Amino acid sequence: MMTGSVRPARARRGPPDPGPGVVRPDPGLSTEPLCTARKVIVEVERARPVPLRRIGRETARRASVRGLAVGLAVSGVLLGTGCDSVSGIPGDDAGSPSVQASDGDAPGTEQRATSAGAPPSAPALPPVPADAPAVGAVPGVPDAAPALQRFAADLRSADIATLQNTCWTIPPLTVQTMYTDRDAVLNALAQPGTAVDGTLTWTDGITTVTVDEHRVAAGYACGRVSPVGVEPVYDAADARHTVRRYLARSAGQPLDPADLEEQYPLVCAAAPATWDPEGTGAPVAAPLAENPGTLGTITGFTDQQISSQPLTAGYMAVAVPVTNASGITQNRTFLLEQGDGGYCIGDISS
């Protein structure tokens, strides 16, 4: 059984509508409750084990994944609009501006592509402000301090809606809660940084800020904040946000023009082979890495009906209604694996 606890969200308007041809769901949080708080208990049907001796290991794995997809499709129907305020991702605010395929359409909850063309290119970053807060240098990673200084300048003076917009790789509600004590974050960043196994870390002995090293190459990186001695946590909200980013890209309208697979990988790498959601002890290459066209062409997805379900340790399933090029909407289930840098998508089922 899967139990979902839905809490009302509070939000305010973000930046003005960027205009036709650009889809950016309102990153703000509204001042009115999104929905009445309620508990939803969903019966999830799981597949029966399939004997490996009869059909082989890979076929059994696929059969189990299909059974999970059926279960999550049922849960998506029972959850209704979902009210995914826990994740805090764009589109959760029922009063946010409409995101539609053409000008003048009535407000709705489905995100649709507005153009078949390539997404807009990312604008060039401005220079680091002369009065930006100090950020400790990281030996061997010269790009780290400037990238974190741009973030620190926004952290010091920008409102939460701006931070949610610039830190688009992180679920917006997580941004709101993680950066509550801004002085603590800035104090930690002012200390000398270290680089260990691809993770950059700053700490003042009380607060720790971490960033994946590959993120600083873009020139702007938002830190993950945690108490000293506590590893940064990636939760179900991060898994859902990973799927939302993937679907937004697939619809031709990424949450940010810079959100490209080459720079911000969302698909699990084929090698080394670590994909083992069934816990067989025999990991294989992630199926989506070997067949990146699994999702097919889509025109949109329903933000407010995204739901998630923990699987075996380190794996999460996310279900969301997706509209294909024929205009047919059906639940698709995304299976994700958790790694040191968050979640990646390894398989998609219908």
Side-chain angles (χ1 to χ4, degrees):
M1 297 192 59
M2 177 175 69
T3 303
S5 180
V6 182
R7 297 177 294 176
R10 301 182 66 84
R12 65 181 171 187
R13 293 285 182 191
D17 188 343
V22 177
V23 173
R24 182 182 296 281
D26 186 1
L29 304 171
S30 99
T31 57
E32 295 297 327
L34 175 62
C35 56
T36 303
R38 59 190 176 93
K39 287 189 175 180
V40 182
I41 300 177
V42 181
E43 196 72 36
V44 178
E45 176 185 347
R46 292 193 177 276
R48 296 176 181 175
V50 182
L52 295 179
R53 64 179 180 273
R54 288 187 1 205
I55 61 175
R57 185 188 303 273
E58 182 62 24
T59 304
R61 179 183 293 110
R62 287 290 182 176
S64 182
V65 167
R66 284 195 297 271
L68 174 63
V70 169
L72 285 177
V74 171
S75 72
V77 171
L78 295 180
L79 281 171
T81 57
C83 299
D84 192 20
S85 59
V86 173
S87 71
I89 34 191
D92 292 338
D93 180 2
S96 61
S98 60
V99 183
Q100 296 291 326
S102 61
D103 296 341
D105 285 348
T109 62
E110 184 175 46
Q111 175 168 331
R112 297 181 183 274
T114 61
S115 170
S121 59
L125 287 170
V128 175
D131 62 345
V135 172
V138 179
V141 190
D143 293 337
L148 270 295
Q149 276 189 291
R150 291 186 175 93
F151 161 67
D154 286 341
L155 185 65
R156 181 184 60 189
S157 58
D159 60 22
I160 194 65
T162 299
L163 288 173
Q164 289 170 330
N165 192 43
T166 56
C167 297
W168 46 266
T169 62
I170 304 174
L173 188 58
T174 302
V175 170
Q176 181 178 354
T177 56
M178 192 164 54
Y179 300 147
T180 299
D181 190 347
R182 302 190 186 196
D183 288 339
V185 180
L186 294 174
N187 288 339
L189 287 173
Q191 310 307 312
T194 60
V196 178
D197 296 332
T199 299
L200 310 182
T201 303
W202 292 261
T203 182
D204 59 359
I206 300 174
T207 301
T208 298
V209 180
T210 59
V211 174
D212 292 339
E213 184 173 341
H214 74 272
R215 296 284 174 89
V216 303
Y220 191 106
C222 300
R224 287 262 175 177
V225 183
S226 58
V228 69
V230 178
E231 291 292 327
V233 174
Y234 293 94
D235 58 16
D238 292 290
R240 293 189 293 266
H241 194 57
T242 298
V243 171
R244 181 170 268 107
R245 289 173 55 197
Y246 181 82
L247 289 172
R249 289 179 184 178
S250 299
Q253 301 190 28
L255 284 140
D256 187 273
D259 194 12
L260 305 173
E261 183 67 16
E262 296 77 16
Q263 297 176 359
Y264 298 92
L266 297 180
V267 177
C268 300
T274 62
W275 186 253
D276 189 19
E278 299 300 317
T280 64
V284 297
L288 187 59
E290 296 189 323
N291 186 11
T294 299
L295 181 63
T297 303
I298 70 168
T299 59
F301 60 98
T302 309
D303 283 342
Q304 291 182 334
Q305 293 185 26
I306 293 182
S307 59
S308 56
Q309 166 80 12
L311 303 177
T312 53
Y315 289 88
M316 185 78 68
V318 174
V320 54
V322 176
T323 303
N324 63 22
S326 298
I328 299 172
T329 300
Q330 67 177 120
N331 259 33
R332 304 298 297 269
T333 300
F334 297 76
L335 303 185
L336 297 92
E337 180 181 15
Q338 184 176 2
D340 293 338
Y343 282 93
C344 64
I345 304 171
D347 202 1
I348 305 174
S349 299
S350 56

